[in-house]
Amino acid sequence: MPALSLLPTLRHPAMIPAVLRRPHAAPEQFQALTGLNPAEFGALVRRSVPLYRLSEAARLGQRPRRRSLGAGRKFEHPFAERLAVQLVLRHSRPTQKLLSRITGFTESTLSRDARRLAPLLPTLDTADHLPPPLRSARELLGLLLLSALPEVS
């Protein structure tokens, strides 16, 4: 996989592909990656934020703490981007290594978010409705690069 090794491994929120930051800018690509159109994704985010806060408060309150709730390291990426990346993992099924290289999320962040956000994500009915997994970086980059073209004003 020489093409994958040429990808930069920057850890910066600006590296998130535009299609995941602004779903309405490229709705076809967003739906191909996540399985949801931008309106459905917006509704999912609005519904998920309060549920996520409740589940995190319950998780963090399970045992005695040294620090107060909210102390500690903050998330590098906004909630909507983290949710979109988890949808890409579930729908398009690239490897975490591939997705981390393309989006700038660390593999540990992807794993942590997978555990924490899984209850909020739509359930997949059966394996019959799943698209085949992406076989290469080229397939995933093809979907992402369609939205990376310069905007015409």
Side-chain angles (χ1 to χ4, degrees), residues 58-85:
R59 184 183 67 81
L60 294 172
Q62 287 178 350
R63 57 191 159 142
R65 303 183 53 81
R66 287 188 197 175
R67 299 183 195 136
S68 63
L69 290 177
R73 195 180 73 143
K74 304 299 180 226
F75 289 106
E76 191 175 347
H77 304 279
F79 178 78
E81 288 178 10
R82 293 172 37 225
L83 193 62
V85 169

